[in-house]
Amino acid sequence: MPFISRPGIPKNSFVMGNDTIANLITSIRNADMVEKGTVRVTATNITKNIGRILLREGFIEDVREHQEGQKSFLISTSKYRRRKKRTYMTTSKRTSKPGLRIYSNYREIPKVLGGMGIVILSTSQGILTDREARQKKIGGEILCYVW
């Protein structure tokens, strides 16, 4: 990927595409592979909600918002197991993409690893996990799987 020079963006930084969800998931996965504790991504309403869900479900340790000038960033801290240097979030997969949206009603929402993982959905009532969507009996766009 080429370096892009734009006003307000440091010269040696990568500019990712418009898929902020894939950017969040990939950044967390890459940080876990190199055992980097924190991840910084651009804050949007969707990434904030996904960060809150990952925090609530116990996959990450902390999520906070940081403001630099007019730009807002989301800083995520990985949660590690006690003795092993592995994180609680072993795998994550982006399902619905900008070029191919995947929708499901509440009866057909897949279970990840028999209920051990979560499915994050975008519904009419906001960003929800698969359990919350089944409980409220609403379907939506399947954003990603996390386990």
Side-chain angles (χ1 to χ4, degrees):
M1 179 173 293
F3 289 109
I4 298 174
S5 177
R6 291 187 189 160
I9 298 175
K11 212 168 195 171
N12 293 335
S13 66
F14 286 108
V15 177
M16 300 304 286
N18 292 334
D19 193 1
T20 56
I21 300 166
N23 189 16
L24 172 69
I25 291 170
T26 304
S27 297
I28 292 173
R29 188 181 328 124
N30 290 344
D32 290 344
M33 283 194 290
V34 295
E35 297 178 6
K36 183 178 176 186
T38 59
V39 176
R40 181 179 141 182
V41 293
T42 305
T44 62
N45 287 335
I46 292 176
T47 56
K48 289 177 198 175
N49 289 330
I50 291 175
R52 286 187 201 120
I53 287 175
L54 293 175
L55 178 65
R56 188 176 64 227
E57 295 291 323
F59 288 105
I60 56 178
E61 189 174 317
D62 185 32
V63 173
R64 63 186 185 279
E65 192 172 348
H66 179 69
Q67 189 102 13
E68 286 183 14
Q70 292 183 341
K71 293 200 179 236
S72 182
F73 296 98
L74 202 66
I75 299 175
S76 167
T77 307
S78 295
K79 185 175 184 178
Y80 289 97
R81 297 175 197 263
R82 287 188 181 175
R83 294 189 181 130
K84 299 177 182 175
K85 285 284 188 177
R86 293 189 357 237
T87 60
Y88 282 94
M89 190 168 141
T90 57
T91 307
S92 54
K93 181 182 177 190
R94 176 78 158 113
T95 309
S96 186
K97 299 174 183 166
L100 179 64
R101 303 289 185 187
I102 298 174
Y103 297 93
S104 175
N105 63 21
Y106 77 94
R107 289 186 201 101
E108 296 172 356
I109 297 172
K111 287 190 177 183
V112 179
L113 292 179
M116 295 294 289
I118 62 170
V119 178
I120 298 178
L121 294 104
S122 175
T123 66
S124 59
Q125 295 184 9
I127 309 289
L128 302 174
T129 63
D130 55 338
R131 282 179 241 120
E132 294 167 340
R134 280 191 205 97
Q135 189 178 29
K136 293 181 179 183
K137 295 187 177 181
I138 53 174
E141 180 183 354
I142 298 175
L143 298 177
C144 60
Y145 302 135
V146 180
W147 69 91

